[in-house]
Coordinates of all heavy atoms in Angstrom, one line a residue:
M1 N 92.3 20.4 70.0 CA 92.3 20.0 68.6 C 93.7 20.0 68.0 O 94.5 20.9 68.2 CB 91.3 21.0 67.8 CG 91.3 20.8 66.5 SD 89.9 21.6 65.6 CE 88.4 20.9 66.2
T2 N 93.9 19.1 67.2 CA 95.2 18.9 66.4 C 95.1 19.5 65.0 O 93.8 19.7 64.5 CB 95.6 17.5 66.3 OG1 94.6 16.8 65.5 CG2 95.7 16.8 67.7
C3 N 96.1 19.7 64.4 CA 96.1 20.3 63.0 C 95.3 19.3 62.0 O 94.6 19.6 61.2 CB 97.5 20.4 62.6 SG 98.4 21.8 63.5
R4 N 95.6 17.9 62.3 CA 94.9 16.9 61.5 C 93.5 17.0 61.6 O 92.6 17.0 60.6 CB 95.4 15.5 62.0 CG 95.1 14.5 60.9 CD 95.7 13.2 61.4 NE 97.1 13.2 61.3 CZ 97.8 12.6 60.3 NH1 97.2 12.2 59.2 NH2 99.1 12.6 60.3
E5 N 92.9 17.2 62.8 CA 91.5 17.4 63.0 C 91.0 18.6 62.4 O 89.9 18.6 61.8 CB 91.2 17.4 64.6 CG 91.2 16.0 65.2 CD 91.2 16.1 66.7 OE1 91.7 17.1 67.4 OE2 90.6 15.3 67.3
F6 N 91.8 19.7 62.6 CA 91.4 20.9 62.0 C 91.1 20.8 60.5 O 90.2 21.3 60.0 CB 92.6 22.0 62.2 CG 92.3 23.3 61.7 CD1 91.8 24.3 62.6 CD2 92.6 23.6 60.5 CE1 91.5 25.5 62.2 CE2 92.3 25.0 60.0 CZ 91.8 25.9 60.9
I7 N 92.0 20.1 59.8 CA 92.0 19.9 58.4 C 90.7 19.1 58.0 O 90.1 19.4 57.0 CB 93.3 19.4 57.8 CG1 94.5 20.4 57.9 CG2 93.1 18.8 56.4 CD1 95.8 19.8 57.8
E8 N 90.5 18.0 58.9 CA 89.4 17.1 58.6 C 88.0 18.0 58.7 O 87.1 17.6 58.0 CB 89.3 16.1 59.8 CG 89.9 14.7 59.2 CD 90.0 13.7 60.3 OE1 89.1 13.6 61.0 OE2 91.0 13.1 60.5
F9 N 87.9 19.0 59.7 CA 86.7 19.6 59.8 C 86.5 20.8 59.2 O 85.4 21.7 59.4 CB 86.4 19.7 61.4 CG 86.2 18.5 62.2 CD1 87.1 18.1 63.1 CD2 85.1 17.6 61.8 CE1 86.8 16.9 63.9 CE2 84.9 16.5 62.5 CZ 85.8 16.0 63.5
I10 N 87.6 21.3 58.3 CA 87.6 22.5 57.8 C 86.4 22.8 56.9 O 85.8 23.9 56.9 CB 88.9 22.7 56.9 CG1 89.2 24.3 56.9 CG2 88.8 22.1 55.6 CD1 90.6 24.5 56.6
E11 N 85.9 21.9 56.3 CA 84.7 22.0 55.3 C 83.5 22.3 56.1 O 82.6 23.1 55.8 CB 84.6 20.8 54.4 CG 83.6 20.8 53.4 CD 83.7 22.2 52.5 OE1 84.8 22.4 52.0 OE2 82.7 22.9 52.2
D12 N 83.3 21.5 57.2 CA 82.1 21.7 58.0 C 82.2 23.1 58.7 O 81.1 23.8 58.9 CB 82.1 20.7 59.2 CG 81.7 19.4 58.6 OD1 81.1 19.3 57.4 OD2 81.7 18.3 59.2
Y13 N 83.4 23.5 59.1 CA 83.6 24.8 59.7 C 83.2 26.0 58.6 O 82.5 26.8 59.1 CB 85.0 25.0 60.0 CG 85.4 26.3 60.5 CD1 85.1 26.7 61.9 CD2 86.0 27.4 59.8 CE1 85.4 27.9 62.4 CE2 86.4 28.6 60.5 CZ 86.0 28.8 61.7 OH 86.3 30.1 62.2
R14 N 83.6 25.8 57.5 CA 83.3 26.8 56.5 C 81.9 26.8 56.1 O 81.2 27.9 56.0 CB 84.1 26.6 55.2 CG 85.6 26.8 55.4 CD 86.3 26.9 54.0 NE 85.8 28.1 53.2 CZ 84.9 28.0 52.3 NH1 84.3 26.8 51.9 NH2 84.6 29.1 51.6
S15 N 81.2 25.8 56.1 CA 79.8 25.7 55.8 C 78.8 25.9 57.0 O 77.6 25.9 56.9 CB 79.4 24.3 55.1 OG 79.8 23.3 55.9
G16 N 79.5 26.2 58.1 CA 78.7 26.4 59.3 C 78.0 25.2 60.0 O 77.1 25.4 60.7
K17 N 78.4 24.0 59.6 CA 77.8 22.8 60.0 C 78.4 22.3 61.3 O 77.8 21.2 61.9 CB 77.9 21.7 59.0 CG 76.8 21.8 57.8 CD 76.8 20.5 56.9 CE 77.9 20.7 55.9 NZ 77.9 19.6 54.9
L18 N 79.4 22.9 61.8 CA 80.2 22.4 62.9 C 79.4 22.9 64.3 O 78.9 24.0 64.3 CB 81.5 23.1 63.0 CG 82.8 22.1 63.5 CD1 82.8 20.8 62.7 CD2 84.0 23.0 63.4
P19 N 79.2 21.8 65.3 CA 78.5 22.2 66.5 C 79.3 23.2 67.2 O 80.5 23.3 67.1 CB 78.6 20.8 67.2 CG 78.9 19.8 66.2 CD 79.7 20.4 65.2
E20 N 78.6 24.1 67.9 CA 79.2 25.2 68.7 C 80.5 24.9 69.4 O 81.4 25.7 69.3 CB 78.1 25.8 69.6 CG 78.5 27.1 70.3 CD 78.8 28.2 69.4 OE1 78.3 28.2 68.3 OE2 79.7 29.1 69.9
A21 N 80.5 23.9 70.2 CA 81.6 23.5 71.0 C 82.9 23.3 70.0 O 84.0 23.5 70.4 CB 81.3 22.2 71.9
Q22 N 82.7 22.6 69.0 CA 83.7 22.3 68.1 C 84.3 23.5 67.3 O 85.4 23.6 67.0 CB 83.3 21.1 67.1 CG 84.0 19.8 67.4 CD 83.5 18.8 66.5 OE1 82.4 18.7 66.0 NE2 84.4 17.9 66.1
R23 N 83.2 24.4 67.0 CA 83.6 25.6 66.4 C 84.5 26.4 67.3 O 85.4 27.1 66.7 CB 82.4 26.4 66.0 CG 82.4 27.4 64.8 CD 81.2 28.0 64.5 NE 80.7 28.7 65.6 CZ 81.1 29.8 66.0 NH1 82.1 30.4 65.3 NH2 80.7 30.5 67.0
Q24 N 84.2 26.4 68.5 CA 85.1 27.2 69.5 C 86.5 26.6 69.5 O 87.5 27.3 69.6 CB 84.4 27.2 70.8 CG 83.4 28.2 71.0 CD 82.6 28.1 72.3 OE1 82.9 27.4 73.3 NE2 81.6 29.0 72.5
A25 N 86.6 25.2 69.6 CA 87.9 24.6 69.5 C 88.6 24.9 68.4 O 89.7 25.1 68.3 CB 87.7 23.0 69.6
F26 N 87.9 25.1 67.2 CA 88.5 25.5 65.9 C 89.1 26.8 66.0 O 90.2 27.1 65.7 CB 87.3 25.5 64.9 CG 87.7 24.8 63.6 CD1 87.6 23.3 63.5 CD2 88.0 25.4 62.5 CE1 87.9 22.6 62.4 CE2 88.3 24.8 61.4 CZ 88.3 23.4 61.3
D27 N 88.3 27.8 66.5 CA 88.7 29.2 66.7 C 90.0 29.2 67.6 O 90.8 30.1 67.4 CB 87.5 30.1 67.2 CG 86.5 30.3 66.1 OD1 86.8 30.1 64.9 OD2 85.4 30.6 66.5
L28 N 89.9 28.5 68.6 CA 91.0 28.4 69.6 C 92.2 28.0 68.9 O 93.4 28.5 69.1 CB 90.6 27.5 70.7 CG 91.3 27.7 72.0 CD1 90.8 28.9 72.8 CD2 91.0 26.5 73.0
H29 N 92.0 26.9 68.1 CA 93.4 26.4 67.4 C 93.9 27.5 66.4 O 95.1 27.6 66.3 CB 92.9 25.1 66.7 CG 94.1 24.4 66.1 ND1 95.0 23.6 66.8 CD2 94.6 24.4 64.9 CE1 95.8 23.2 66.0 NE2 95.7 23.6 64.9
L30 N 92.9 28.1 65.8 CA 93.3 29.1 64.7 C 94.1 30.2 65.5 O 95.1 30.8 64.9 CB 92.1 29.8 64.2 CG 91.5 29.1 62.8 CD1 90.3 30.0 62.4 CD2 92.7 29.2 61.8
G31 N 93.7 30.5 66.7 CA 94.4 31.6 67.6 C 95.8 31.3 67.9 O 96.6 32.2 68.1
K32 N 96.2 30.0 67.9 CA 97.5 29.7 68.4 C 98.3 28.9 67.3 O 99.4 28.4 67.7 CB 97.4 28.9 69.7 CG 96.7 27.5 69.6 CD 96.6 26.9 70.9 CE 95.9 25.6 70.7 NZ 95.7 24.9 72.0
C33 N 97.8 28.7 66.2 CA 98.5 27.8 65.2 C 98.5 28.5 63.9 O 97.6 28.4 63.1 CB 97.8 26.5 65.0 SG 98.6 25.4 63.8
P34 N 99.6 29.3 63.5 CA 99.7 30.1 62.3 C 99.7 29.1 61.1 O 99.3 29.6 60.1 CB 101.2 30.7 62.5 CG 101.5 30.6 64.0 CD 100.8 29.5 64.4
S35 N 100.1 27.9 61.2 CA 100.1 27.0 60.0 C 98.7 26.8 59.7 O 98.4 26.8 58.4 CB 100.7 25.6 60.5 OG 102.0 25.7 60.9
C36 N 97.7 26.7 60.6 CA 96.3 26.4 60.2 C 95.6 27.6 59.7 O 94.8 27.5 58.9 CB 95.5 25.8 61.4 SG 96.0 24.1 61.5
V37 N 96.1 28.8 60.1 CA 95.5 30.1 59.6 C 95.9 30.1 58.2 O 95.1 30.4 57.4 CB 96.2 31.3 60.5 CG1 95.7 32.5 59.7 CG2 95.7 31.2 61.9
C38 N 97.2 29.9 58.0 CA 97.8 29.8 56.6 C 97.0 28.7 55.7 O 96.6 29.0 54.6 CB 99.2 29.3 56.6 SG 100.3 30.2 55.6
Y39 N 96.7 27.6 56.3 CA 96.0 26.5 55.6 C 94.5 27.1 55.2 O 94.0 26.9 54.1 CB 96.0 25.3 56.4 CG 95.1 24.2 55.7 CD1 95.8 23.4 54.8 CD2 93.8 24.0 55.9 CE1 95.2 22.4 54.1 CE2 93.2 22.9 55.2 CZ 93.8 22.1 54.3 OH 93.2 21.2 53.7
L40 N 93.8 27.6 56.2 CA 92.5 28.1 56.0 C 92.4 29.1 54.9 O 91.6 29.0 54.0 CB 91.9 28.7 57.3 CG 90.4 29.0 57.2 CD1 89.5 27.8 57.0 CD2 90.0 29.7 58.6
D41 N 93.5 30.0 54.9 CA 93.6 31.0 54.0 C 93.8 30.4 52.5 O 93.1 30.8 51.5 CB 94.7 31.9 54.4 CG 94.7 33.2 53.6 OD1 93.7 33.8 53.5 OD2 95.8 33.6 53.0
G42 N 94.7 29.5 52.5 CA 95.0 28.8 51.2 C 93.8 28.0 50.7 O 93.5 28.0 49.5
Y43 N 93.1 27.4 51.6 CA 91.8 26.5 51.3 C 90.8 27.5 50.7 O 90.3 27.2 49.7 CB 91.4 26.0 52.7 CG 90.2 25.0 52.5 CD1 90.5 23.7 52.2 CD2 88.9 25.4 52.6 CE1 89.4 22.7 52.1 CE2 87.9 24.5 52.3 CZ 88.1 23.1 52.1 OH 87.1 22.2 51.9
E44 N 90.5 28.8 51.3 CA 89.6 29.6 50.7 C 89.9 30.0 49.3 O 89.1 30.1 48.4 CB 89.5 30.8 51.7 CG 89.2 30.5 53.1 CD 87.6 30.7 53.4 OE1 86.8 31.0 52.6 OE2 87.3 30.6 54.7
K45 N 91.2 30.4 49.2 CA 91.7 30.9 48.0 C 91.5 29.8 46.9 O 91.3 30.1 45.7 CB 93.3 31.2 48.0 CG 93.4 32.6 48.7 CD 94.7 33.2 48.5 CE 95.0 34.5 49.1 NZ 95.6 34.5 50.3
T46 N 92.0 28.5 47.3 CA 91.9 27.4 46.3 C 90.4 27.2 45.8 O 90.1 27.0 44.7 CB 92.3 26.1 47.0 OG1 93.6 26.3 47.4 CG2 92.3 24.9 46.0
I47 N 89.4 27.3 46.7 CA 88.0 27.3 46.4 C 87.6 28.4 45.4 O 86.9 28.3 44.4 CB 87.1 27.2 47.7 CG1 87.2 25.8 48.4 CG2 85.7 27.5 47.3 CD1 86.7 25.9 49.8
L48 N 88.1 29.5 45.9 CA 87.8 30.9 45.0 C 88.3 30.6 43.6 O 87.6 30.8 42.6 CB 88.3 32.0 45.6 CG 87.6 32.6 46.8 CD1 88.3 33.8 47.4 CD2 86.2 33.1 46.4
L49 N 89.5 30.2 43.6 CA 90.2 29.8 42.3 C 89.4 28.8 41.4 O 89.3 28.9 40.3 CB 91.6 29.2 42.6 CG 92.8 30.3 42.6 CD1 94.1 29.6 43.0 CD2 93.0 30.8 41.2
G50 N 89.0 27.8 42.2 CA 88.3 26.7 41.6 C 87.0 27.3 41.0 O 86.7 26.9 39.7
R51 N 86.3 27.9 41.7 CA 85.0 28.7 41.3 C 85.3 29.6 40.1 O 84.5 29.5 39.1 CB 84.3 29.5 42.4 CG 83.7 28.7 43.4 CD 82.6 29.2 44.2 NE 82.1 28.4 45.2 CZ 82.0 28.8 46.4 NH1 82.3 30.1 46.9 NH2 81.5 27.9 47.4
K52 N 86.3 30.3 40.2 CA 86.6 31.2 39.1 C 87.0 30.4 37.8 O 86.5 30.8 36.8 CB 87.8 32.0 39.5 CG 88.1 33.4 38.8 CD 89.1 34.2 39.4 CE 89.5 35.4 38.4 NZ 90.8 35.3 38.0
S53 N 87.7 29.3 38.0 CA 88.1 28.5 36.9 C 86.8 28.0 36.2 O 86.7 27.9 35.0 CB 88.9 27.4 37.4 OG 90.2 27.9 37.8
L54 N 85.9 27.5 37.2 CA 84.6 26.9 36.6 C 84.0 28.0 35.7 O 83.5 27.6 34.6 CB 83.8 26.4 37.7 CG 84.0 25.0 38.3 CD1 83.1 24.7 39.4 CD2 83.9 23.9 37.2
C55 N 83.8 29.2 36.2 CA 83.0 30.2 35.5 C 83.7 30.6 34.3 O 83.0 30.8 33.3 CB 83.1 31.5 36.5 SG 81.9 31.4 37.9
E56 N 85.1 30.4 34.2 CA 85.7 30.8 32.9 C 85.9 29.5 32.1 O 86.5 29.6 31.0 CB 87.1 31.3 33.4 CG 87.1 32.7 33.8 CD 88.3 33.1 34.5 OE1 89.2 32.4 34.5 OE2 88.5 34.1 35.0
G57 N 85.3 28.4 32.5 CA 85.3 27.2 31.6 C 86.7 26.5 31.6 O 87.0 25.8 30.7
D58 N 87.5 26.8 32.7 CA 88.8 26.3 32.7 C 88.8 25.2 33.9 O 88.6 25.6 35.0 CB 89.8 27.5 33.0 CG 91.2 26.9 33.1 OD1 91.5 25.8 33.1 OD2 92.2 27.7 33.4
D59 N 89.0 23.9 33.5 CA 88.9 22.9 34.6 C 90.2 22.7 35.3 O 90.3 21.5 35.9 CB 88.3 21.7 34.0 CG 89.1 21.0 32.9 OD1 90.2 21.6 32.5 OD2 88.8 19.9 32.4
R60 N 91.1 23.5 35.1 CA 92.4 23.3 35.8 C 92.2 23.4 37.4 O 91.8 24.5 37.8 CB 93.4 24.2 35.3 CG 94.8 24.0 35.9 CD 95.8 25.1 35.3 NE 95.3 26.5 35.5 CZ 95.6 27.2 36.6 NH1 96.3 26.8 37.5 NH2 95.1 28.4 36.8
I61 N 92.5 22.3 38.2 CA 92.4 22.4 39.6 C 93.7 22.5 40.3 O 94.6 21.6 40.0 CB 91.6 21.2 40.1 CG1 90.2 21.1 39.5 CG2 91.4 21.3 41.7 CD1 89.6 19.7 39.6
P62 N 93.9 23.6 41.1 CA 95.2 23.7 41.7 C 95.5 22.8 42.9 O 95.5 23.2 44.1 CB 95.3 25.2 42.1 CG 93.8 25.5 42.4 CD 93.0 24.6 41.4
E63 N 95.5 21.4 42.6 CA 95.6 20.4 43.6 C 96.9 20.6 44.4 O 97.0 20.2 45.6 CB 95.6 19.1 43.0 CG 94.1 18.7 42.9 CD 94.1 17.3 42.0 OE1 95.0 16.8 41.8 OE2 92.9 16.8 42.0
E64 N 97.9 21.1 43.8 CA 99.3 21.2 44.5 C 99.3 22.2 45.7 O 100.0 21.9 46.5 CB 100.4 21.4 43.5 CG 100.4 22.9 43.0 CD 99.5 23.2 41.8 OE1 98.7 22.2 41.4 OE2 99.5 24.2 41.1
V65 N 98.4 23.1 45.7 CA 98.4 24.0 46.8 C 98.0 23.4 48.1 O 98.9 23.5 49.1 CB 97.5 25.2 46.4 CG1 97.5 26.2 47.6 CG2 97.8 26.0 45.2
P66 N 96.9 22.7 48.3 CA 96.6 22.2 49.5 C 97.5 21.1 49.9 O 97.9 21.0 51.1 CB 95.1 21.6 49.4 CG 94.9 21.8 48.0 CD 95.8 22.7 47.3
A67 N 98.1 20.3 49.1 CA 99.0 19.2 49.4 C 100.2 19.7 50.1 O 100.7 19.2 51.1 CB 99.3 18.4 48.1
E68 N 100.8 20.8 49.5 CA 102.0 21.5 50.1 C 101.8 22.1 51.4 O 102.5 21.9 52.3 CB 102.4 22.6 49.1 CG 103.3 22.2 48.0 CD 103.8 23.4 47.1 OE1 103.6 24.5 47.4 OE2 104.2 23.0 46.0
L69 N 100.6 22.6 51.6 CA 100.1 23.2 52.9 C 100.1 22.1 53.9 O 100.6 22.3 55.1 CB 98.8 24.0 52.8 CG 99.1 25.3 52.2 CD1 97.7 25.9 51.7 CD2 99.7 26.3 53.2
I70 N 99.5 21.0 53.5 CA 99.3 19.9 54.6 C 100.7 19.4 54.9 O 100.9 19.1 56.2 CB 98.5 18.7 53.9 CG1 97.0 19.2 53.8 CG2 98.6 17.5 54.8 CD1 96.1 18.2 53.0
E71 N 101.6 19.2 54.0 CA 103.0 18.7 54.3 C 103.6 19.7 55.2 O 104.3 19.4 56.2 CB 103.7 18.6 53.0 CG 103.7 17.2 52.5 CD 104.4 17.0 51.1 OE1 105.3 17.8 51.0 OE2 104.0 16.3 50.3
A72 N 103.4 21.0 54.9 CA 104.2 22.1 55.8 C 103.6 21.9 57.2 O 104.3 22.1 58.1 CB 103.8 23.4 55.2
I73 N 102.3 21.9 57.4 CA 101.6 21.7 58.7 C 102.1 20.5 59.5 O 102.5 20.6 60.6 CB 100.1 21.8 58.5 CG1 99.6 23.1 58.1 CG2 99.4 21.3 59.8 CD1 98.3 23.1 57.6
L74 N 102.2 19.4 58.7 CA 102.6 18.1 59.4 C 104.1 18.3 59.8 O 104.5 17.9 60.9 CB 102.3 16.9 58.5 CG 100.9 16.7 58.3 CD1 100.7 15.3 57.2 CD2 100.2 16.3 59.6
A75 N 104.9 18.9 59.0 CA 106.2 19.1 59.4 C 106.5 20.0 60.5 O 107.2 19.7 61.4 CB 107.0 19.7 58.0
A76 N 105.7 21.0 60.6 CA 105.7 22.0 61.7 C 105.4 21.3 62.9 O 105.9 21.6 64.0 CB 104.9 23.1 61.4
R77 N 104.3 20.5 62.8 CA 103.8 19.7 63.9 C 104.8 18.8 64.6 O 105.0 18.6 65.8 CB 102.6 18.9 63.5 CG 101.5 19.0 64.7 CD 100.4 18.0 64.3 NE 100.0 17.2 65.5 CZ 99.4 16.0 65.4 NH1 99.2 15.6 64.3 NH2 99.1 15.4 66.5
K78 N 105.5 18.1 63.6 CA 106.6 17.1 64.1 C 107.7 17.9 64.9 O 108.2 17.4 65.9 CB 107.2 16.5 62.9 CG 106.7 15.1 62.7 CD 107.5 14.3 61.6 CE 106.9 13.0 61.1 NZ 107.3 12.7 59.8
K79 N 108.1 18.9 64.4 CA 109.0 19.8 65.0 C 108.7 20.3 66.4 O 109.5 20.2 67.3 CB 109.4 21.2 64.2 CG 110.5 21.0 63.2 CD 110.8 22.3 62.6 CE 111.2 22.3 61.2 NZ 111.0 23.4 60.4
G80 N 107.4 20.6 66.6 CA 106.8 21.0 67.8 C 106.7 19.9 68.8 O 106.6 20.2 70.1
E81 N 106.7 18.6 68.5 CA 106.5 17.5 69.4 C 107.8 17.1 70.2 O 108.9 17.4 69.6 CB 106.0 16.4 68.7 CG 104.4 16.5 68.6 CD 103.8 15.3 67.7 OE1 104.6 14.5 67.1 OE2 102.6 15.5 67.4
Ligands
LIG101 ZN1 97.2 23.8 63.4

């Protein structure tokens, strides 16, 4: 699994919709890719922030957080190739 695939399937992974084989590939990738661990962490936090904002009636969405993380992951991947 590549970082790009990881990001594509992250929502299915979180909601438990990912087939077992793919979920294992996901966990495997998480085990060897600190960038994606970081991304998943940021993703969860972004969702929590979004929910919190909704609860508080604040519609500010922290869009800049995932965009930066994606760029960091893609840059790290380029270096590794
Ligand atoms: Zn990765």
